[in-house]
Amino acid sequence: MSATAQAAGAARARPRWRQTVWGELSAEFLGTFVLICFGDGVVAMAVAALNQSGRGTAIFVASGDWLLITWGWAMAVTFGVYVAGGISGAHINPAVTLALAVRRNFPWAKVVPYIVAQLVGAFVGAALVYLVYHNAISSYEAAHNITRGALGGSADSTATFSIFATFPAPYFHSSMIWPLVDQIVGTAFLLMFVLALTDERNQPPRMNLAPLLVGLAVAAIGMSFGANAGYAINPARDFGPRMLAWFAGWGKVAIPGIHNYLWVPIVGPFVGGVLGAFIYDIFIRDVLRDRGEPEAVGVEAEGRTVKEEAETT
């Protein structure tokens, strides 16, 4: 058999799904899985593991804990984007997917499949964190007289639930308007930064540094806008682990959450993401275009696999 025939046979033997949108969905699943494994993992370290591991009981307090968490999430985003970026563009966030569909011609037919893949990846990532840290979580609950699933009172389990998903600060009382505003603002900044870092008309980073800078953007948002509501800024990041927490016994603390908070980190990021994309385009992208800057090249936000298949057939 000739080398050409062998190559053709090998090409036919490859699973066809990898050359379709399913290849992109697998990348979104794995990228979001990595995001949650390391994001929720760092919160598990700060809340339940470090202080019971024999490595000190007061290593981090207040701002120290928050810095650990914000930098942990920054690295989680960075490596999630590096894992999935070459195939799907690494949205790993339904708010990013929706904003790119509204403002960057991302195919609407892919929006729901991408979001489903992200949600499943987030749920599985949270499940792995629970598998690894369930002993530490149970020990922390016992040491602090926490009853898993209790909401309010001396046995309140919000502290251990926070390993997985977000909740509003108590100074908002029962009003969810300002936590909603918080999520809109945080996600608007996220999309502004993502679009700036991927806009070839602007000053995009070279040498494949964009994922690292996206991670730093998430750290900046967490440090500046994180305390009000935990800076979910990603519906999959919050809802997938929230579902896991509900199954794992946190009950009403997870769903519907404190003051029915469940909807806030879903609606807020969707609104904020689209708003941030509009703001970036009005103030920056449209200005660059009207000043005669070259058309964007080399930016791949919607994923490549289906496009490549069409070009090679």
Side-chain angles (χ1 to χ4, degrees):
M1 181 183 294
S2 68
T4 302
Q6 288 177 337
R12 285 193 297 271
R14 295 177 187 145
R16 296 272 308 164
W17 68 267
R18 293 175 181 164
Q19 303 173 45
T20 70
V21 70
W22 287 101
E24 297 174 43
L25 300 183
S26 70
E28 285 297 302
F29 166 85
L30 189 60
T32 312
F33 170 82
V34 169
L35 167 69
I36 299 303
C37 283
F38 286 85
D40 281 1
V42 74
V43 184
M45 285 276 287
V47 171
L50 270 177
N51 52 28
Q52 299 185 96
S53 65
R55 294 168 178 82
T57 58
I59 301 173
F60 299 102
V61 291
S63 60
D65 274 345
W66 196 248
L67 287 173
L68 175 68
I69 289 169
T70 52
W71 283 114
W73 274 105
M75 294 298 99
V77 171
T78 296
F79 290 110
V81 174
Y82 273 125
V83 164
I87 296 177
S88 67
H91 299 186
I92 61 176
N93 183 340
V96 172
T97 300
L98 178 63
L100 293 179
V102 172
R103 298 300 298 170
R104 290 296 185 274
N105 298 315
F106 180 76
W108 281 99
K110 294 183 182 180
V111 169
V112 172
Y114 264 52
I115 291 175
V116 171
Q118 292 155 3
L119 286 170
V120 176
F123 180 90
V124 177
L128 181 61
V129 171
Y130 183 71
L131 176 67
V132 172
Y133 282 111
H134 73 276
N135 296 103
I137 295 169
S138 296
S139 175
Y140 183 87
E141 289 171 335
H144 292 80
N145 299 312
I146 291 171
T147 300
R148 187 175 301 182
L151 182 57
S154 60
D156 182 72
S157 59
T158 301
T160 49
F161 164 73
S162 71
I163 291 169
F164 299 100
T166 63
F167 63 94
Y171 45 73
F172 291 118
H173 305 293
S174 62
S175 174
M176 293 298 100
I177 297 301
W178 292 111
L180 177 64
V181 170
D182 173 89
Q183 286 299 288
I184 291 171
V185 169
T187 315
F189 276 120
L190 174 65
L191 262 294
M192 288 168 56
F193 298 151
V194 167
L195 294 179
L197 291 168
T198 57
D199 188 351
E200 287 288 340
R201 291 188 180 94
N202 202 346
Q203 300 182 68
R206 303 300 180 184
M207 298 177 66
N208 201 24
L209 289 176
L212 176 60
L213 295 177
V214 171
L216 291 178
V218 171
I221 293 168
M223 292 176 190
S224 299
F225 294 96
N228 280 341
Y231 77 110
I233 58 175
N234 180 338
R237 171 266 174 276
D238 191 84
F239 186 70
R242 187 178 293 271
M243 282 290 295
L244 185 280
W246 184 77
F247 280 116
W250 276 271
K252 62 185 178 181
V253 182
I255 298 175
I258 300 169
H259 305 302
N260 299 307
Y261 183 71
L262 167 68
W263 64 275
V264 174
I266 297 174
V267 174
F270 278 131
V271 174
V274 174
L275 179 63
F278 271 105
I279 291 171
Y280 177 80
D281 286 355
I282 291 170
F283 284 90
I284 303 297
R285 186 173 187 246
D286 292 349
V287 173
L288 290 169
R289 181 195 61 200
D290 292 346
R291 287 166 64 94
E293 295 295 329
E295 289 292 321
V297 294
V299 177
E300 189 61 64
E302 73 274 15
R304 296 196 286 256
T305 55
V306 174
K307 183 188 297 183
E308 289 174 349
E309 179 189 22
E311 290 173 350
T312 55
T313 55

